[in-house]
Amino acid sequence: MAKQRLAFIRTFGCQMNERDTETIRGLLAQAGYGFTEHPAAADLVLFNTCCVRENPERKVYGQVGQLKEAKAKKPDMIIGICGCMPQQQEELTQMLNRLPHVDLFFGTHNIHRLPELLHKIATTGEQVVEIWDKGGDPIEGLPALRDSTFKAWVTIMYGCNNFCSYCIVPYVRGRERSRHPHEIWREVEGLADKGIKEITLLGQNVNSYGQDLEIEVDFADLLDRLNQVPGIERIRFTTSHPKDISDKLILHLAQLEKVCEHLHLPVQAGSNDVLHRMNRRYTREDYLKVVDKVRHYVPDISLTTDIMVGFPGETEADFADTLSLVREVGYDSAFTFIYSPRKGTPATEMPDQVPEDVKKERIYRLIELQNKMSLERNTKLLGRELQVLAEGISRNDTNMLTGKTRTAKNVVFPGRQELIGELVNVRITEAHTWSLGGELA
Ligand code: SAH
Ligand code: SF4
Ligand code: F3S
């Protein structure tokens, strides 16, 4: 019998990309592949890439470059690059020049073609490059190999229509395409049958779910329907664009018992001038109104966000507006980014690009403030009893488990391994910046 071929996949970028990797793994498993954690031991090494900032791109060049030697020793090894990077024509040309030992390039719209592309390489021995410039209707029924037996990501829509002036995503993921609600219910019911308790619905802007479908359905309706799936205990979603959050959605957040008390609401900046040039289409005041309304209906909600510093033209006064907004909202946590110019996006051409040292100095100040706010928010939870989904064993202490509250906070608590995958109640006894500590209640 022939030895089983092994694949190694490295994934960069957002949860949508992680979810795509699960499909890739499903397709490869169907084709008879096994998986390894060691690239040098693999017959197929695949990089599912991200181009939202320069950093993840640079890493791909480094890591693929390092494989040159392994491939020289093992000429049958197939190296592939997929995902968002090759969707940009210029980047693809550059990769073809700089990484000639890569055998396979495909994009975000033709993942389902992977088995055929591998077959083509096997039969011709030649490099295969296949990028589709746009996505058609969502492809249903693809296999997926998921790691967890109790939580799962479910993509509800692909692409983005928003064209924020700094962002490459609409160019590499195409326009918004929602999956038909029946397909989503069917997938979630199937997951529940397999014991999945927590689902996270994914889309670049879930608030516009359904707008491109011929039937009358919106994101709140979808939540309502999924809330009724027996076995599913928790529903999360990401990401919500602040300009599209409806009163109906806020009411659903408050009323649907499985929908968790957590909203990730990327603000990006606190200055109206900057928000306008970012093409975010809301003002600081609009945003704060949404926050007030959400907190009014769901007082315990945890709010998280994405914030960028150093957008072209950002003055010290603009940045001060970001800091004051962070103080005013009191986020539970925030992802903070340094603006990274992306070729082909309008912001790259804007005047007054901010020098690197200024960007760095600003992000440090922002992180320092946010850490203080996070600790403050977490301290308020001391003594509270919270529901936690036990997810794994702590890396630092094997007698401790880690898990997440409904509000998406990490909790570390003493517990037996058998509890992994279960919902338990934990009394909070310690508050830190990025986590809580507690004991079973
Ligand atoms: N669709 C989501 C986010 C997608 S990208 C949304 O609209 O919220 C995730 C985050 O990366 C963004 O929220 C933004 O803060 C950051 N980001 C996007 N483009 C960037 C760029 N060119 N430089 C730095 N950060 C960027
Ligand atoms: Fe990018 Fe804006 Fe779309 Fe988010 S909403 S993916 S930041 S263009
Ligand atoms: Fe990156 Fe593509 Fe996601 S660019 S953030 S992996 S959609």
Side-chain angles (χ1 to χ4, degrees):
M1 212 178 82
K3 206 169 124 246
Q4 186 184 34
R5 292 176 69 76
L6 296 177
F8 170 89
I9 310 175
R10 161 115 334 132
T11 310
F12 296 87
C14 62
Q15 289 157 324
M16 317 243 346
N17 236 26
E18 301 271 358
R19 177 63 192 80
D20 285 348
T21 290
E22 294 177 343
T23 301
I24 292 172
R25 280 161 50 87
L27 290 164
L28 290 174
Q30 240 174 27
Y33 275 85
F35 297 92
T36 168
E37 296 293 306
H38 308 285
D43 304 286
L44 169 65
V45 181
L46 204 53
F47 293 83
N48 191 6
T49 60
C50 169
C51 53
V52 79
R53 283 172 290 277
E54 192 189 347
N55 223 1
E57 287 196 327
R58 214 175 323 150
K59 280 190 196 152
V60 168
Y61 280 100
Q63 294 183 13
V64 176
Q66 278 173 14
L67 280 175
K68 233 183 194 148
E69 235 173 87
K71 175 144 175 145
K73 280 192 206 139
K74 194 174 169 181
D76 282 351
M77 177 190 267
I78 295 173
I79 302 177
I81 296 184
C82 64
C84 293
M85 273 174 83
Q87 283 296 145
Q88 307 160 271
Q89 184 54 48
E90 237 176 273
E91 192 66 48
L92 175 65
T93 309
Q94 199 180 37
M95 287 192 289
L96 285 165
N97 287 330
R98 283 178 52 191
L99 303 168
H101 59 298
V102 173
D103 307 277
L104 170 65
F105 289 94
F106 61 102
T108 57
H109 301 305
N110 58 342
I111 287 173
H112 61 286
R113 297 259 310 142
L114 176 59
E116 218 157 309
L117 302 179
L118 286 172
H119 181 71
K120 211 162 159 184
I121 295 174
T123 48
T124 64
E126 281 173 15
Q127 186 186 50
V128 169
V129 181
E130 186 182 291
I131 313 290
W132 292 7
D133 61 1
K134 56 178 193 276
D137 290 340
I139 295 168
E140 298 296 344
L142 295 178
L145 202 62
R146 291 170 152 110
D147 272 340
S148 172
T149 52
F150 50 85
K151 58 174 189 174
W153 286 311
V154 177
T155 302
I156 62 167
M157 59 195 296
Y158 300 89
C160 180
N161 288 355
N162 288 311
F163 290 95
C164 302
S165 63
Y166 49 82
C167 185
I168 195 75
V169 171
Y171 305 88
V172 295
R173 290 273 170 173
R175 293 299 70 70
E176 285 175 3
R177 279 123 36 228
S178 300
R179 291 177 67 196
H180 196 285
H182 285 127
E183 297 289 349
I184 300 171
W185 305 339
R186 197 177 326 161
E187 180 177 356
V188 171
E189 278 162 0
L191 290 168
D193 284 346
K194 286 194 197 132
I196 296 290
K197 293 194 172 94
E198 179 183 292
I199 53 168
T200 304
L201 308 176
L202 301 179
Q204 294 298 350
N205 177 17
V206 293
N207 297 342
S208 57
Y209 171 78
Q211 281 175 15
D212 57 313
L213 292 174
E214 273 156 23
I215 50 170
E216 211 35 48
V217 62
D218 64 15
F219 182 55
D221 300 331
L222 183 70
L223 284 178
D224 197 8
R225 176 63 181 80
L226 296 177
N227 192 61
Q228 296 165 34
V229 176
I232 297 297
E233 310 267 4
R234 287 175 160 194
I235 303 173
R236 305 186 179 284
F237 56 88
T238 195
T239 296
S240 278
H241 196 303
K243 76 175 165 50
D244 295 319
I245 193 157
S246 66
D247 289 353
K248 181 176 167 189
L249 178 62
I250 296 174
L251 286 177
H252 277 59
L253 255 176
Q255 287 162 0
L256 298 175
E257 70 281 4
K258 295 180 181 177
V259 177
C260 290
E261 297 75 27
H262 170 219
L263 185 63
H264 184 64
L265 200 62
V267 68
Q268 311 301 354
S271 139
N272 281 335
D273 233 32
V274 173
L275 286 171
H276 180 70
R277 278 180 292 117
M278 284 179 163
N279 192 30
R280 290 292 285 180
R281 287 176 282 171
Y282 53 82
T283 61
R284 173 190 179 101
E285 293 73 28
D286 298 334
Y287 184 93
L288 290 171
K289 248 186 240 157
V290 171
V291 168
D292 275 350
K293 214 183 267 177
V294 171
R295 285 217 167 113
H296 174 76
Y297 285 101
V298 195
D300 272 347
I301 198 145
S302 103
L303 283 174
T304 58
T305 197
D306 294 349
I307 307 171
M308 205 185 296
V309 303
F311 185 78
E314 184 188 68
T315 61
E316 182 55 33
D318 291 323
F319 177 63
D321 285 345
T322 295
L323 293 178
S324 77
L325 180 126
V326 165
R327 245 179 252 119
E328 200 168 334
V329 174
Y331 291 107
D332 291 86
S333 71
F335 294 108
T336 53
F337 304 106
I338 287 181
Y339 166 71
S340 166
R342 302 286 72 203
K343 256 199 207 106
T345 63
T348 310
E349 310 297 327
M350 289 181 186
D352 304 320
Q353 298 282 327
V354 177
E356 282 311 307
D357 55 334
V358 176
K359 288 185 190 169
K360 281 208 180 109
E361 190 264 339
R362 284 183 188 162
I363 203 166
Y364 291 143
R365 279 154 69 198
L366 174 62
I367 292 172
E368 195 184 347
L369 172 63
Q370 180 50 48
N371 286 351
K372 202 174 117 224
M373 306 299 297
S374 298
L375 183 60
E376 246 172 56
R377 296 281 300 165
N378 285 345
T379 304
K380 290 199 177 125
L381 298 172
L382 284 172
R384 292 271 299 272
E385 196 178 303
L386 301 176
Q387 185 210 62
V388 172
L389 175 61
E391 298 191 355
I393 298 172
S394 160
R395 242 182 271 160
N396 304 327
D397 181 347
T398 51
N399 295 315
M400 306 288 272
L401 297 181
T402 60
K404 275 208 175 68
T405 63
R406 287 174 59 100
T407 51
K409 293 182 187 273
N410 292 311
V411 187
V412 182
F413 57 100
R416 286 169 300 111
Q417 217 171 313
E418 290 78 0
L419 290 178
I420 293 173
E422 299 297 322
L423 292 165
V424 294
N425 285 331
V426 175
R427 191 182 321 284
I428 304 305
T429 55
E430 283 173 42
H432 309 284
T433 306
W434 295 289
S435 69
L436 301 165
E439 47 204 34
L440 288 168

